[in-house]
Amino acid sequence: MAGGVRKKSSPGPRSRAWAPLRTLWQDKHLILFKAEYTILVASVLWFLEIGINIWVIQKVAYTEIDWQAYMDEVEGVINGTYDYTQLKGGTGPLVYPAGFVYTFTALYYITNHGVNIRLAQYLFAVFYLLTLLLVFRIYHRTQKVPPYVFFFVCCASYRIHSIFVLRLFNDPVAMMMLFGAVNLFLDGRWALGCGLYSLAVSVKMNVLLFAPGLLFLLLSEFGLMRAIPKLSLCAAIQILLGLPFLMENPIGYMTRAFDLGRQFMFKWTVNWRFLPEWLFLSRYFHLVLLAAHLLALLLFALRRWKRPGESIMDLLKEPAKRVIPAQKLTSDHILSSMVLILFTSNFIGMCFSRSLHYQFYVWYFHTLPFLLWSGGVKKLAHLLRVLILGLVELSWNTYPSTTHSSAALHVCHLIMLLSLWFVPGVEEKTKSK
């Protein structure tokens, strides 16, 4: 070679193919801590969950709680009863909206009139795996939580596996649809997202806890006039699904399917065990909780969710006509803010709930890591966040609940709520960039 200089050869195809694996091996100690590896870690855990669910179904005894009651309730509809006041199962009257009836009617036929419990368990295992996929996609899109936390989102929770595949409650079905709707919102498909959200509400109305956050996002994104069609779509789906029952007995349907004043039994409460039973059952106590719930939502909407200098009235205007122009944030910031508003709205409802039963854990379980790692208190180190997750899990796994387990749950809720209050607003995020 001229001048004795040896020319470097370019890497061959095989070398280029191994390059990502070499990089992965070099960064192996960071895989569990860097959000960019979310897909890798989530994929491994998801496939592991297939085996875990099969093992749980095969080795752990199924416990009958509500499944047979669900089948009795939908069987009444199949036999021609559309008066909601006449529909009941072994645990009491039918108290879920019409979407529940259609969903569990399909399961009724698929499982041979509800008799094939093992098949039902595998169907709920599919629901569980679909829910995980939807949840992992949210975490991937927002890049907020280190991948090692996903172990606590799936494999570590006995209670969540039990709710899905050992108890067959309707709560997981509603939450699966809800997370599907959140994914559609993140994709900018608001109409489809609102439609799926309404379907989730029609299975179980706990999904309404996300409604204040969703309303805020719709107003922020579209203003009042352009948000009305989306809200109308949600209402139209409820009317269409409930039409056979509304035509038969409209008052009976509305009072049973959307009974906001239903009394809960003290023996099942997870969150208020330290109260005397008379106070737990008191309507005045319920009104205080409702007032605190509404006040917390109002404070978060006014002080944490909206942009500084912007009034609530500005949200009613179309975005282009608002006085304060939109701040330029990265896509991650925008998506994280959307998810944070929705998840915080639901979490506030959980904090001030009149009673939480064991199956209600699934209402916010998959959102807890996002809320903890979104908190604005920097001193909440990784270990403390994991400790809070562990205490919450322990509180929900203590059966029957005790004074200490209920108190521990409220302490965890309070720490998280305060941490969410100190999340930086839009203005601070812009300045920090």
Side-chain angles (χ1 to χ4, degrees), residues 20 100 114 179 256 261 289 296 340 343 363 397:
F100 162 86
F179 288 122
R256 283 289 174 83
L289 288 175
L340 183 61
F343 286 2
W363 294 5
N397 276 312

mmCIF file of all heavy atoms in Angstrom, residues 20 100 114 179 256 261 289 296 340 343 363 397:
data_model
loop_
_atom_site.group_PDB
_atom_site.id
_atom_site.type_symbol
_atom_site.label_atom_id
_atom_site.label_comp_id
_atom_site.label_asym_id
_atom_site.label_seq_id
_atom_site.Cartn_x
_atom_site.Cartn_y
_atom_site.Cartn_z
ATOM 1 N N PRO A 20 -25.820 -4.284 17.713
ATOM 2 C CA PRO A 20 -26.828 -3.983 18.749
ATOM 3 C C PRO A 20 -26.734 -4.904 19.958
ATOM 4 O O PRO A 20 -26.933 -4.467 21.096
ATOM 5 C CB PRO A 20 -28.164 -4.172 18.015
ATOM 6 C CG PRO A 20 -27.837 -4.043 16.567
ATOM 7 C CD PRO A 20 -26.447 -4.592 16.425
ATOM 8 N N PHE A 100 -72.295 -4.563 30.592
ATOM 9 C CA PHE A 100 -71.993 -5.763 31.390
ATOM 10 C C PHE A 100 -72.855 -6.929 30.922
ATOM 11 O O PHE A 100 -72.363 -8.054 30.765
ATOM 12 C CB PHE A 100 -72.253 -5.480 32.867
ATOM 13 C CG PHE A 100 -72.400 -6.719 33.707
ATOM 14 C CD1 PHE A 100 -71.299 -7.349 34.231
ATOM 15 C CD2 PHE A 100 -73.661 -7.266 33.959
ATOM 16 C CE1 PHE A 100 -71.428 -8.505 35.004
ATOM 17 C CE2 PHE A 100 -73.800 -8.406 34.727
ATOM 18 C CZ PHE A 100 -72.678 -9.034 35.245
ATOM 19 N N GLY A 114 -72.040 -20.822 31.301
ATOM 20 C CA GLY A 114 -71.307 -20.499 32.514
ATOM 21 C C GLY A 114 -70.795 -21.693 33.286
ATOM 22 O O GLY A 114 -70.187 -21.530 34.355
ATOM 23 N N PHE A 179 -57.919 0.988 29.430
ATOM 24 C CA PHE A 179 -56.536 1.154 28.979
ATOM 25 C C PHE A 179 -56.459 1.164 27.450
ATOM 26 O O PHE A 179 -55.582 1.825 26.876
ATOM 27 C CB PHE A 179 -55.640 0.063 29.561
ATOM 28 C CG PHE A 179 -55.381 0.224 31.036
ATOM 29 C CD1 PHE A 179 -55.712 -0.774 31.937
ATOM 30 C CD2 PHE A 179 -54.811 1.394 31.520
ATOM 31 C CE1 PHE A 179 -55.480 -0.619 33.295
ATOM 32 C CE2 PHE A 179 -54.573 1.559 32.886
ATOM 33 C CZ PHE A 179 -54.907 0.552 33.773
ATOM 34 N N ARG A 256 -80.781 1.313 39.079
ATOM 35 C CA ARG A 256 -80.011 0.097 39.379
ATOM 36 C C ARG A 256 -78.625 0.128 38.722
ATOM 37 O O ARG A 256 -77.612 -0.176 39.374
ATOM 38 C CB ARG A 256 -80.781 -1.138 38.898
ATOM 39 C CG ARG A 256 -81.933 -1.553 39.797
ATOM 40 C CD ARG A 256 -81.393 -2.151 41.111
ATOM 41 N NE ARG A 256 -82.450 -2.437 42.051
ATOM 42 C CZ ARG A 256 -83.187 -3.552 42.042
ATOM 43 N NH1 ARG A 256 -82.982 -4.470 41.116
ATOM 44 N NH2 ARG A 256 -84.116 -3.736 42.954
ATOM 45 N N GLY A 261 -75.533 5.867 45.104
ATOM 46 C CA GLY A 261 -75.709 5.894 46.553
ATOM 47 C C GLY A 261 -75.772 4.523 47.186
ATOM 48 O O GLY A 261 -76.190 4.380 48.337
ATOM 49 N N LEU A 289 -66.892 12.840 52.307
ATOM 50 C CA LEU A 289 -65.967 12.248 51.339
ATOM 51 C C LEU A 289 -66.228 12.780 49.935
ATOM 52 O O LEU A 289 -65.281 13.078 49.181
ATOM 53 C CB LEU A 289 -66.088 10.725 51.359
ATOM 54 C CG LEU A 289 -65.531 9.998 52.588
ATOM 55 C CD1 LEU A 289 -65.837 8.515 52.501
ATOM 56 C CD2 LEU A 289 -64.027 10.223 52.715
ATOM 57 N N ALA A 296 -60.763 18.246 45.864
ATOM 58 C CA ALA A 296 -59.440 17.826 45.390
ATOM 59 C C ALA A 296 -59.359 17.904 43.866
ATOM 60 O O ALA A 296 -58.364 18.388 43.303
ATOM 61 C CB ALA A 296 -59.139 16.403 45.865
ATOM 62 N N LEU A 340 -50.999 11.480 33.017
ATOM 63 C CA LEU A 340 -50.971 11.895 34.421
ATOM 64 C C LEU A 340 -52.316 12.478 34.844
ATOM 65 O O LEU A 340 -52.806 12.183 35.944
ATOM 66 C CB LEU A 340 -49.865 12.925 34.640
ATOM 67 C CG LEU A 340 -49.673 13.405 36.083
ATOM 68 C CD1 LEU A 340 -49.306 12.233 36.991
ATOM 69 C CD2 LEU A 340 -48.610 14.489 36.151
ATOM 70 N N PHE A 343 -54.846 9.472 35.106
ATOM 71 C CA PHE A 343 -54.553 8.583 36.224
ATOM 72 C C PHE A 343 -54.741 9.295 37.567
ATOM 73 O O PHE A 343 -55.186 8.680 38.544
ATOM 74 C CB PHE A 343 -53.131 8.038 36.108
ATOM 75 C CG PHE A 343 -52.947 6.989 35.031
ATOM 76 C CD1 PHE A 343 -54.000 6.618 34.203
ATOM 77 C CD2 PHE A 343 -51.715 6.380 34.831
ATOM 78 C CE1 PHE A 343 -53.832 5.653 33.205
ATOM 79 C CE2 PHE A 343 -51.538 5.406 33.855
ATOM 80 C CZ PHE A 343 -52.599 5.051 33.041
ATOM 81 N N TRP A 363 -58.693 -1.299 39.863
ATOM 82 C CA TRP A 363 -59.077 0.027 39.362
ATOM 83 C C TRP A 363 -57.876 0.947 39.212
ATOM 84 O O TRP A 363 -57.897 1.845 38.385
ATOM 85 C CB TRP A 363 -60.089 0.684 40.299
ATOM 86 C CG TRP A 363 -61.413 0.018 40.378
ATOM 87 C CD1 TRP A 363 -61.810 -1.144 39.792
ATOM 88 C CD2 TRP A 363 -62.546 0.482 41.129
ATOM 89 N NE1 TRP A 363 -63.107 -1.454 40.124
ATOM 90 C CE2 TRP A 363 -63.584 -0.460 40.944
ATOM 91 C CE3 TRP A 363 -62.775 1.598 41.932
ATOM 92 C CZ2 TRP A 363 -64.842 -0.317 41.535
ATOM 93 C CZ3 TRP A 363 -64.021 1.743 42.530
ATOM 94 C CH2 TRP A 363 -65.047 0.802 42.326
ATOM 95 N N ASN A 397 -53.624 -7.234 50.289
ATOM 96 C CA ASN A 397 -53.539 -8.687 50.477
ATOM 97 C C ASN A 397 -53.869 -9.120 51.898
ATOM 98 O O ASN A 397 -53.876 -10.316 52.188
ATOM 99 C CB ASN A 397 -52.134 -9.178 50.109
ATOM 100 C CG ASN A 397 -51.983 -9.409 48.617
ATOM 101 O OD1 ASN A 397 -52.819 -10.051 48.003
ATOM 102 N ND2 ASN A 397 -50.934 -8.857 48.032
#
